[in-house]
Each structure stands twice: as structure tokens, then as C-alpha cells.
Amino acid sequence: MCVALPGLAISTGQGQLTGRGLDGFYRAGRRVLSRCQVRVAGRQPLAVQARMTAADCARFVGTLRASPQAGPDPDVLVERTRRADGSERITLRSAAVRPLWVPVEVALGTDLADLGAIASGNPGPELPATVHDSGLRWSCAKGSSTVTADPPPADALASAGLLRWEFALPPGGSASIELRVRLDGAGPVRAVGRAATSPLASALASARASGDEPAAEALLRTSIEDLQALLLRDPAHPSDTHLAAGVPWRCGPAPADALAAARMTLSLGTRLAAGTLRALARTQLRGRGPQSGMIPGPLRDAGTHLPPSCTGTEATLLFPALLAEARRWGLPQPDTEELLPAAERCLTWLRTTVGDGTCLRDPHPGGPVRCETQAHAHRAALLGADLLDACGRPGGAGLREWAGAMRTAFRADLWIDDVGGGRPAAARAPDGRLVPHLGAAAVHLLDTGLLGGGEQAPGLLDKVQTEQLARLLGAPAMDSGWGLRGLGAKEAGYNPFGHRSGAVRVHATALAVAGLAAADYEKEASALLRGVLAAAAAFGHRLPEMYAGEQRTDGSAPLPHPAACRPAATSAAAGVLLLTTLAGIRPDAPGRTVTMRPMRSAPLGEIVLTGLRVAGAPFSIRVSRLGLAMVEEAADGLQLRA
């Protein structure tokens, strides 16, 4: 998959676009070209290599024998460089000792189908082509697309969708064809991530992870490239950018995913967080009624034990938490003040919805009290109170008082005691029954958030309960060896490919690593971290949204999930969080301090992180093999706290 939204190109490793499955070039979810098959001297080149050279570019190499005297060795190399912007360069290179006369055919076609129709198996028939300019054109009621070629073809057959050339290749010579596909009426694909104003441009140019583990650099670079490729502009305010959820299924905005990804990448700067918050603030529901103040979002599958959850609730609770933490990382004060009213409306919705209670139920009638929702609500209350106090706004004391009551109630009512040490309940059903299964949603209990002075906010669990949860997350039932399963392998309904019932979700694993490390459970954190890095290597360091929760064994590899987005915003952002967790950076830009809590076990050996951003300035840190941190670059006047 070559990605630079709104452009996208999908093919198999063979390189040919066959028109089957998802093959094709896409623009804003419309397939503008489904078939692009190359034949040289009447034959398909034999595919020998396919690899991504960047998030938006793939290179395919094939060979063939074009002269009868070639023997068993190929004498023509065919290289195809495909980009998400709708361009493909086909280059022929001769290794023959004599001149070659090489005919080339490119068969083209499209159905102009929407991605949703293609995914459901109903793309529609291929459209008839007409000769247009130096290429071909297809039209239907949905629109038109055109392919142009440089150099122009010697022959174009609309009925067969064929463009033809003949090239004279001297010994060692080469020839190239440049194809460009575009949707009529639309300008060239201008990917947000490629613009100089991209909020991640600085990180892509300067962020590096060097040291004893070479996979760290590859993971960081690929993660940032994928985040760049997934950037979208707010149509009404093009200067504000945020992340699409993932490719190919979720190319549009998903509020909870966009906020979560922006939060995990605060170490790369606060501009992505600011753009995301501004874009979502415009969607916030206003007026009167129980939903006033919410950030709307779709329902999300919650596995076999619970009904779908409301991502709008999650987004509404993430909004003030992200704003508060972005301020600690260095979000400029004018941006904070601009976004503060929207955060206050989120917090007002929380207090109004909870009323006199100590828990936050699902918004639909008769909904359960979910463990992860309580974690989001508790963090929003504490970080929101911190934000309100810092900005001189009322309401902080009330939020802290409610959060304290919630902690007491949670520890008594949503913790299941048993002979094994207990576990958090996944939820409390409307009839009061506790849902006991253990899943990755419990990691949100460890993700407490950042307050001033480098302090972590208190969590819903006490010390003994936190230790027990750490033990459970590190046990083989949850740790697959490749990352954290969505549901424990011993739980009823476990399915290694289940979206929320057994598959490894990279986002949840990264939160577990960060939360366990912050709580000083480094053994469990290190095991999960090394597992995900091993999986990343198997996926070419482009981590998918999820993969199968099959147990890792000697010589095995993680099994891809057929429905996973790759790249996905949360998994790409998780790659950044996994590496920065090693350094334990806890900034307080308003207080002009930064606290370092590196992982003392140094699970990847020495690591040097450069090109990060704290307080609006470059920040670099070295963590030694002994787990000691040394800041090598920081903003002027920023004081280091042990």
C-alpha cells in the first residue's frame, strides 16, 4: 500500500494491477484505475522483488529474456516505481550484448467504484475506454478518470484498453514510460504530509533513534512516514490537520483514534495535537440536551462479552486530557486559550452525565459501566482540573473531589477478588452483574496521564491492585510474545483473530508498555516491548493496526490479520510511544522543567533519541546501557529534574 492521503495505491507483491480485489489507484476513496498490466516482448516480467521505499512509494522489479541468445539468464530488467499520487514510472534496462527491439504493452482499465463497494464485493463492471490526449479516459455517472503517458504511445486501442510502444535498447541502454492517472475535475494529489507546513515535517527531517538496537531507527522512521501519509486537512480550515484512522478501510476522520494518536506523538511536537483539537472542536455538539458538549463518534466493536462502545464518549474524554498534556509538552498559550472553551464543554458534559453518581455509564439506555470508560473519565477529570486551575478557570476542585469518590467506588465495586489475587472487571452490567473477563481494555487503568512537575496522575487502582494487574498482563495468557492480546487466551470467546477478543492491538500494547514502565513494572513492560519490536521487523517496521494473537514460538512469525489497517494512525503513533517510553520524558513546559524517568533495565541497550520537541525546541536524550539518562539538547532555560 502506497499512502499519501487523499491518494492511495494498492497491489500485490507481483506489481501488476489486475483489477481483482482491492488492486488500484484511489483518490478520496474512488478507484480511478483498477488495472495496469505490463507486457514486454509479449510476456509478463517475472517478479523478483517488491518493497516499500517510503510510505507513499513502492518499487517492483521483474526480469525477462528478450533475445534468443540470452540462455538461462535474463537480459532485460523491468523496474516499476509506483506512488500514491497516481504516478507510475516503468523503466526497461538492457543487459544484452546486442541491441534489442522491445515492444511494450500496458493494459489499463477501471470501474470508478467506491472503496466500500469494492470491499463488499460489488465494484461493478469495468468501463469502456476512449482515446484521450496521450492516453485513455473512462466516464460514468460518478465521474471520469484519465491516464496520460509520457512519451505518448505509438498506438492506443480504446476497445482493448491498450497503450503500445516500441523501444530500441542499445547494450546497457534504458527507456522509461511515465504514467499519470487523475480524477477529472480534481487537481493533482497534494498530500498534506508532503507540504512544508506539515505538523510532522520537522520530525521526519530530524527525529532519529540510534544505539544498540538497529530496529529502533527503522521503526521510528517508518512510523513518522506513515503518520505523515495519513494526514488530512480540515476542509473548512485547511491549515488544521489531523490523522485518518487507517488504510484502506478507514481513510476518513475517526475522532477517538485521531486524539489518541496525537497524544502518543506529543514528543514530536504539539502542532498535530493543536490541529486535531481545533478540527474536532468544530464538531462538538452544542445547545441543550444530554449530548451537549460531546465530540460525536461512531460505535466500535467491543468483543464477544460486551455491546459496541461509543467512541464519541472516548473522544469527549480524551479531548481535555490531550489539551492538558499538550500544554505540558509546550503547546503555546494562545492555542491553549483558544481550545479551553471546548475542553470545558467536554468536562461539563462529564459532570452533567454522571450527576450524583460515581461512575460513567454508556450513553445509551441500559448501557454497562465499562472499566476503560471509567479510566478515561478519571483521567479527564484530573487532567481537566489541572488545566482549569492553570488557566484560572473554576471547576477544578469539584472535578478532583468527584475523581476521588470514583477511585474509592471503583476499587470496591469494579474489582473482583479471587484466590489468584483478583482482577478488574471488564464492566458492570445493568443488572449489577460484574463481567469478569480479562482483556487489553484494562491497560487504560495504567494510563493515568501527566500532571505538573513531571508527576503522573493517580490511577483508579491502589498499589496492590496495580501490582496484580501488572502480573496478569505479563502472564502468557495475555502476552502472546508478539504483544498484548485483546482477550486473555484462557477466557471464554477467545479468538486469536478477534478484533477485540484475542488479536494483538498495537495501540493497547504500547499503552501497556508505557503504563507498566511508569508504575515500575519493567520486567513486564520490557517483555511486551521486545515482542512488538520483533513483530515490527516481520512487518517491515510498518506495524498494522492488529495481528493474530497466536503464541510466539521459536522460528515463528506473527500472523497478519486480513482486515487490519496498515498503516493505521494508532499503530504508527504507538511506534513513537514505545521508543520514547524508554527515556521516560515528563515535561512541564510552563514550569520550564523536564523530569526523566528512563527504564532502568535498558531493554534495548543504549538508545539515543534526537529531533524530539519539548517546550517548542529540539530535544535530544541518551539512555545508557545502565538505564541512566543524559539530556544532550534542550530549550534554553529548561531545567532537568531527577
Side-chain angles (χ1 to χ4, degrees), residues 259 263-264 266 277 316-329 336 339-340 343-344 346-347 350-351 374-404 406-407 444-460 587 590:
L259 289 164
R263 183 171 174 243
M264 288 190 286
L266 284 171
L277 290 166
T316 306
L317 299 172
L318 276 171
F319 191 103
L322 174 58
L323 180 57
E325 289 191 327
R327 178 177 172 273
R328 294 294 172 195
W329 280 89
T336 303
L339 292 161
L340 184 60
E344 288 183 292
C346 292
L347 295 170
L350 170 61
R351 291 305 312 274
Q374 309 321 300
H376 290 313
H378 184 259
R379 182 179 59 237
L382 290 179
L383 270 61
D386 184 57
L387 178 67
L388 294 176
D389 289 353
C391 296
R393 301 291 296 167
L399 286 166
R400 287 192 189 88
E401 182 180 357
W402 174 78
M406 186 189 202
R407 282 196 295 277
H444 294 286
L445 294 169
L446 301 174
D447 180 20
T448 62
L450 180 65
L451 297 176
E455 294 296 324
Q456 293 289 118
L460 283 172

Side-chain angles (χ1 to χ4, degrees), residues 591-639:
R592 304 302 296 171
T593 65
V594 60
T595 303
M596 308 306 305
R597 291 289 185 269
M599 293 181 68
R600 297 184 300 275
S601 58
L604 302 185
E606 182 178 74
I607 187 167
V608 181
L609 299 172
T610 58
L612 306 181
R613 305 219 32 114
V614 174
F619 186 85
S620 301
I621 183 171
R622 179 186 301 270
V623 180
S624 73
R625 297 183 185 95
L626 299 176
L628 301 175
M630 178 182 296
V631 175
E632 298 189 336
E633 183 181 23
D636 291 340
L638 193 67
Q639 296 184 353

Side-chain angles (χ1 to χ4, degrees), residues 428-591:
R428 186 173 70 235
D431 61 5
R433 175 182 54 89
L434 293 181
V435 182
H437 73 271
L438 179 66
V443 304
H444 294 286
L445 294 169
L446 301 174
D447 180 20
T448 62
L450 180 65
L451 297 176
E455 294 296 324
Q456 293 289 118
L460 283 172
L461 303 181
D462 61 27
K463 185 176 180 180
V464 173
Q465 292 169 337
T466 300
E467 182 178 0
Q468 173 65 1
L469 179 58
R471 187 183 69 81
L472 292 170
L473 295 179
M478 287 298 295
D479 183 359
S480 71
W482 301 114
L484 196 70
R485 292 185 176 95
L487 182 67
K490 296 181 180 180
E491 304 293 332
Y494 167 72
N495 172 3
F497 284 96
H499 273 64
R500 305 276 169 179
S501 54
V504 173
R505 300 191 72 87
V506 177
H507 175 203
T509 304
L511 291 180
V513 171
L516 289 165
D520 291 328
Y521 295 101
E522 292 195 8
K523 177 183 176 182
E524 294 82 0
S526 297
L528 289 170
L529 171 63
R530 285 191 290 264
V532 175
L533 257 65
F539 288 112
H541 305 288
R542 172 180 267 185
L543 281 165
E545 172 189 18
M546 59 184 168
Y547 42 89
E550 289 280 344
Q551 188 64 41
R552 182 180 180 182
T553 59
D554 290 342
S556 67
L559 293 175
H561 193 293
C565 287
R566 180 169 176 260
T570 53
S571 58
V576 178
L577 178 62
L578 286 166
L579 296 176
T580 53
T581 293
L582 293 164
I585 308 166
R586 301 182 185 179
D588 185 358

Side-chain angles (χ1 to χ4, degrees), residues 16 54 64 112-113 189 192 258 316 352 373 389 426 493 501 565-566 581 603:
Q16 300 277 38
L64 54 84
L112 287 173
V189 176
V192 179
T316 306
T352 302
T373 301
D389 289 353
S501 54
C565 287
R566 180 169 176 260
T581 293

Side-chain angles (χ1 to χ4, degrees), residues 52-142:
M52 300 296 300
T53 59
D56 65 342
C57 182
R59 178 178 181 262
F60 305 91
V61 178
T63 61
L64 54 84
R65 288 177 293 164
S67 59
Q69 301 84 8
D73 299 327
D75 56 3
V76 175
L77 181 143
V78 182
E79 178 183 357
R80 301 174 70 172
T81 303
R82 180 173 299 143
R83 297 186 179 277
D85 64 2
S87 65
E88 179 164 331
R89 188 174 185 83
I90 304 165
T91 301
L92 311 178
R93 304 185 193 280
S94 172
V97 297
R98 295 182 176 86
L100 295 176
W101 188 257
V102 182
V104 178
E105 285 185 350
V106 179
L108 303 168
T110 192
D111 47 24
L112 287 173
D114 293 328
L115 180 58
I118 298 167
S120 63
N122 299 301
E126 192 171 283
L127 299 169
T130 58
V131 176
H132 178 78
D133 197 11
S134 58
L136 298 174
R137 186 171 187 263
W138 300 266
S139 298
C140 69
K142 299 176 182 178

